[in-house]
Amino acid sequence: MNNKSKEKIVVIGAGNVGEAIAYTLMAKIQANDIVLVDVNQDKAKGAAIDIAQATSFHKQIQVRQGGYEECADARIIIITAGIARKPGQTRLELAKTNVSIIRSITESIMKYAENPLIIVVSNPADVMTTAVKEFSGLPSHRVIGSGTSLDTARFRHNISTELGVNVKDVQAYIVGEHGDSQVAVWSSATIGGLPLKEYEEQTGISLDKAEIAEHTKNGGAEVIGLKGATFYGVAMSVSTIVETIINDDKAVLPAAHVLDESFGEWAGVAASLPCRIGWDGIEKAFNVPMNQEETEAMNHSVELLKEFWAQVKEQ
């Protein structure tokens, strides 16, 4: 391969999520060179070999195990590493453990990479996105959290299922925290360009919005309870962000990054909003129209994230 023409993507963490992301990137031919980095080098090597062997069915792509030095010329670096939540462990305890891990990972990346573009998937996703931005010193638009991208996908799927319409015709967002305080924005949702309320009136269908929002919020826990882990959905959501960057598509996707002063009281914390994403990362974050109840819920979500980050960073 011609190294000068490579689009290299480094995936840090070769667990279920990291491996699923690497496989999806390969299957969608989103990189010429995919490198898996993990403290368990055998796990990363095994995953890389398994995925590499699958490339024979469509296009030759390098998939391999490597170290942090691979970050030096990577187009995108994806962080999935972290400890899974244990029984009885609080979310704060998990965050403090994973922030320590993320600090070490970020320092290792920055040892080799100059102005990298980083996508953060590790949980708690919003806090880890803030941590990577703080530890790396990178501008906030180059540290993108997967945030509520998967929550939004679940939200749209649930709405489309209840209405019996193509999910591509559903435009609706989950914003704020990728977690319990997430906000379902119903007031600006549309179906095929029609305001949701208008669509309901014309079809005679009335959605149970509280039930759908709750089902969306608990979507990950439901899958984990049934099969032990969730990774295909997040792999597709991350792949979509990658595709938008690589193709400079300027697509508007729900994602998290540390908000700037233009967002007033929301500034200084990574929270999800619809963002236009291109070659250089997040180009513009949009304050999606919300009614008073939704705005208050968003304020609450951001405040919780601020308090959570303040407790975590004190360690």
Side-chain angles (χ1 to χ4, degrees):
M1 286 186 176
N2 181 351
N3 286 336
K4 292 183 180 179
S5 65
K6 282 183 182 178
E7 286 290 2
K8 180 197 287 186
I9 297 178
V10 172
V11 180
I12 299 174
N16 287 333
V17 172
E19 187 171 349
I21 288 172
Y23 176 82
T24 305
L25 296 175
M26 179 281 295
K28 296 182 73 174
I29 317 177
Q30 292 178 324
N32 294 329
D33 189 13
I34 300 168
V35 184
L36 282 160
V37 178
D38 198 286
V39 65
N40 185 339
Q41 295 185 20
D42 286 346
K43 177 72 168 65
K45 186 175 182 178
I49 292 171
D50 193 12
I51 297 169
Q53 290 171 349
T55 67
S56 301
F57 291 98
H58 63 94
K59 181 179 178 181
Q60 194 64 36
I61 297 169
Q62 279 199 111
V63 185
R64 55 198 175 85
Q65 177 265 334
Y68 283 99
E69 68 277 1
E70 298 288 349
C71 296
D73 60 346
R75 178 71 188 92
I76 298 171
I77 300 166
I78 302 170
I79 302 177
T80 72
I83 303 299
R85 189 169 174 177
K86 300 174 182 177
Q89 186 179 38
T90 68
R91 193 162 169 266
L92 180 59
E93 289 169 342
L94 172 66
K96 287 183 175 180
T97 298
N98 279 346
V99 161
S100 296
I101 294 170
I102 290 298
R103 180 192 290 272
S104 176
I105 288 171
T106 304
E107 290 173 351
S108 297
I109 290 171
M110 298 307 296
K111 180 179 177 181
Y112 297 99
E114 182 178 346
N115 196 33
L117 185 59
I118 301 176
I119 299 175
V120 184
V121 185
S122 307
N123 274 318
D126 313 291
V127 173
M128 296 304 112
T129 301
T130 303
V132 171
K133 195 271 180 191
E134 291 292 317
F135 299 149
S136 68
L138 290 167
S140 62
H141 71 275
R142 294 190 67 81
V143 180
I144 305 172
S146 57
T148 62
S149 57
L150 178 54
D151 302 291
T152 293
R154 289 171 176 152
F155 189 40
R156 293 175 179 176
H157 170 77
N158 292 339
I159 292 171
S160 71
T161 299
E162 291 298 315
L163 293 179
V165 299
N166 193 315
V167 69
K168 292 181 179 179
D169 290 323
V170 179
Q171 272 293 325
Y173 290 104
I174 298 290
V175 298
E177 179 194 11
H178 171 57
D180 291 343
S181 70
Q182 64 182 235
V183 182
V185 184
W186 291 101
S187 59
S188 57
T190 62
I191 309 297
L194 285 173
L196 176 60
K197 184 178 180 180
E198 180 68 23
Y199 186 91
E200 287 179 311
E201 290 176 355
Q202 291 195 33
T203 60
I205 300 173
S206 181
L207 293 176
D208 186 337
K209 296 179 178 59
E211 194 279 332
I212 290 174
E214 191 69 14
H215 186 206
T216 299
K217 182 176 70 175
N218 296 327
E222 179 185 11
V223 174
I224 291 169
L226 291 168
K227 59 173 280 190
T230 171
F231 38 87
Y232 293 123
V234 71
M236 284 299 293
S237 68
V238 171
S239 170
T240 301
I241 295 171
V242 168
E243 187 171 43
T244 299
I245 294 167
I246 294 296
N247 295 335
D248 197 22
D249 279 344
K250 316 292 187 182
V252 176
L253 303 173
H257 76 305
V258 177
L259 300 175
D260 62 26
E261 294 77 14
S262 67
F263 285 91
E265 294 183 357
W266 298 353
V269 68
S272 288
L273 289 171
C275 298
R276 187 179 71 234
I277 300 175
W279 182 254
D280 198 37
I282 290 178
E283 298 180 346
K284 173 71 176 176
F286 299 96
N287 194 346
V288 60
M290 291 182 274
N291 60 29
Q292 183 176 347
E293 181 181 357
E294 292 161 350
T295 300
E296 290 174 355
M298 180 65 177
N299 290 337
H300 174 67
S301 184
V302 172
E303 190 59 36
L304 286 178
L305 287 172
K306 284 186 175 182
E307 292 174 2
F308 200 49
W309 171 243
Q311 294 178 68
V312 169
K313 71 178 182 179
E314 288 176 358
Q315 65 171 330

